[in-house]
Amino acid sequence: MHVLPGFLYPGKGKKLKPLIKLLLSVLFIYAAVSTCASYIKNIPRKYTEDYPILYKEQLAIMFGSDYEIGEKKTVKIEAENCDCGYHVDGLIYDEWDITYQDQNGFTYTQTLNNRQNLESQQIEWLKNQLSSYYKQKYLLDRFPKGTFESLSAEEYFSASYCFIFIGSPVGSYTMDKEEEYNRTKEKNNQYFNKLWQSLSEEQNMIHFYNLDYHGIFQRFPIEVSMHLSIDEVDLSETGKKTHEEEIRENILAIMEDINRDTDYTCNLTVSITSNKGQNDLCDGSKSWRYYILRGEWFGPKDGEYQENYDWELFYALEGIFW
């Protein structure tokens, strides 16, 4: 039978009451603080600066005086929490579409947001524009529509795509190269810190409306990586071989054209597959791969994967960019 302390031992219950009140107060305060902390943690970070007005002059420097800016769109991203301690802040920020033309008459649309600084956004805009440019000039204008699956000037990610990498090209390593890989990361970080500082100054901002495609590989450590999935149609074995080899010949000629148009300074890789690699090519291969490094063909033109390309490109750019 449970008996209250004050019943058997008069006076002890009175002594415990202040302690119990204190404990209850502590628990209440802890619960309140935890609730407040959780509430504050989930308050989204809100960005309200009007970038089109704030950076009107800088935008004209980058996109030319004739650029058009769309209506403001507000983006809301909910916070994410997990009992394991994982947390991602919620965000509320604004976006504007900017439309302009380059000196070749190609039209581009970039997205400006007020969450990031202009320096980092210039890098993303450069990737987008170069990807669209190489697809429009060297692929979409030269092959019949539908030759490659989902190839589009507007879509960066699709079954067929053109990725633009800026900075150190080394993305993976074996354990024996861990120390050297860490060195590439350090060099890459140093490069981007200098680049962002440079792009923050008006005289160094990128002129997207008049981009120097000819000298772009001399200004930035860029790798152009094209992945082209042939949209196979019902062909006989002979027709498939003729179709694929004609595409391969044209792609090799295009790589030569890009190299010539950049004064033999480009870094370019092309991978050709059939049905996103699900079908074999006419010679039984899953893919054909071709490489140009600093204007020189890298490895034999046999379509085989060259695993050292990224490392060799890093070393070739050392002393120039890092």
Side-chain angles (χ1 to χ4, degrees):
M1 179 178 176
H2 180 71
V3 181
L4 293 174
F7 181 79
L8 292 177
Y9 306 100
K12 285 197 174 182
K14 292 181 180 179
K15 293 180 180 179
L16 288 174
K17 283 182 181 179
L19 180 59
I20 293 172
K21 287 182 179 180
L22 178 61
L23 290 173
L24 290 174
S25 298
V26 170
L27 289 173
F28 175 79
I29 292 171
Y30 175 79
V33 169
S34 297
T35 302
C36 289
S38 177
Y39 173 75
I40 292 171
K41 185 169 65 172
N42 287 302
I43 294 176
R45 298 176 61 183
K46 190 171 183 178
Y47 300 84
T48 60
E49 288 183 310
D50 193 334
Y51 268 33
I53 293 178
L54 186 62
Y55 295 112
K56 183 178 180 179
E57 293 181 4
Q58 290 81 358
L59 294 174
I61 291 172
M62 292 184 286
F63 298 111
S65 58
D66 296 329
Y67 77 90
E68 297 178 359
I69 192 151
E71 296 292 326
K72 180 177 73 175
K73 295 174 290 186
T74 299
V75 179
K76 297 181 180 180
I77 300 176
E78 297 294 330
E80 294 184 37
N81 295 295
C82 173
D83 292 339
C84 63
Y86 173 80
H87 171 75
V88 175
D89 288 341
L91 300 172
I92 299 177
Y93 62 93
D94 300 318
E95 289 183 342
W96 298 263
D97 284 341
I98 295 176
T99 303
Y100 61 99
Q101 285 190 338
D102 70 1
Q103 68 271 29
N104 298 309
F106 292 138
T107 299
Y108 303 93
T109 298
Q110 306 277 18
T111 300
L112 167 72
N113 72 71
N114 64 354
R115 180 171 60 90
Q116 298 172 284
N117 58 44
L118 290 184
E119 300 89 83
S120 58
Q121 291 190 72
Q122 284 181 74
I123 300 301
E124 294 307 311
W125 295 334
L126 180 59
K127 292 179 182 179
N128 293 338
Q129 180 162 329
L130 288 176
S131 173
S132 180
Y133 169 76
Y134 288 118
K135 287 184 289 186
Q136 287 186 85
K137 182 171 182 179
Y138 296 100
L139 297 173
L140 293 171
D141 288 352
R142 301 201 186 188
F143 290 95
K145 185 177 181 180
T147 299
F148 302 110
E149 293 185 85
S150 305
L151 184 64
S152 164
E154 293 77 26
E155 295 295 328
Y156 194 77
F157 299 99
S158 59
S160 298
Y161 54 87
C162 176
F163 283 172
I164 306 297
F165 299 98
I166 300 177
S168 171
V170 179
S172 61
Y173 65 96
T174 52
M175 290 307 297
D176 60 311
K177 286 191 172 182
E178 182 176 8
E179 184 176 343
E180 184 68 353
Y181 173 72
N182 290 333
R183 189 177 76 86
T184 70
K185 287 176 61 179
E186 182 180 353
K187 292 286 187 180
N188 190 59
N189 291 336
Q190 292 172 357
Y191 167 75
F192 271 103
N193 287 335
K194 292 180 181 177
L195 178 61
W196 289 326
Q197 176 60 40
S198 174
L199 294 178
S200 68
E201 301 169 1
E202 291 185 0
Q203 68 269 24
N204 297 323
M205 289 180 172
I206 302 173
H207 296 176
F208 295 99
Y209 71 99
N210 190 29
L211 193 61
D212 180 13
Y213 299 109
H214 178 80
I216 198 69
F217 291 94
Q218 299 177 66
R219 182 176 178 188
F220 301 99
I222 290 174
E223 177 188 341
V224 178
S225 180
M226 297 180 178
H227 293 253
L228 305 173
S229 175
I230 299 174
D231 193 356
E232 293 285 18
V233 294
D234 293 329
L235 297 170
S236 65
E237 186 173 339
T238 302
K240 173 181 171 69
K241 179 178 175 64
T242 301
H243 180 61
E244 291 179 353
E245 290 193 341
E246 182 180 355
I247 289 175
R248 171 160 58 177
E249 280 185 31
N250 288 334
I251 289 297
L252 289 172
I254 286 169
M255 292 179 72
E256 291 280 12
D257 289 344
I258 294 174
N259 200 19
R260 182 196 65 239
D261 294 345
T262 55
D263 199 21
Y264 300 95
T265 60
C266 77
N267 308 304
L268 173 63
T269 70
V270 178
S271 170
I272 305 171
T273 63
S274 173
N275 191 24
K276 298 186 285 292
Q278 296 180 30
N279 297 342
D280 288 343
L281 293 164
C282 60
D283 64 353
S285 303
K286 282 296 182 183
S287 66
W288 292 325
R289 297 170 183 264
Y290 303 97
Y291 305 80
I292 294 177
L293 187 155
R294 297 290 290 167
E296 300 286 342
W297 285 92
F298 183 82
K301 295 183 187 178
D302 57 7
E304 293 295 322
Y305 172 64
Q306 302 294 324
E307 63 179 351
N308 292 326
Y309 177 83
D310 290 346
W311 282 97
E312 291 301 321
L313 178 55
F314 173 83
Y315 293 131
L317 299 177
E318 196 164 21
I320 302 173
F321 297 105
W322 42 71

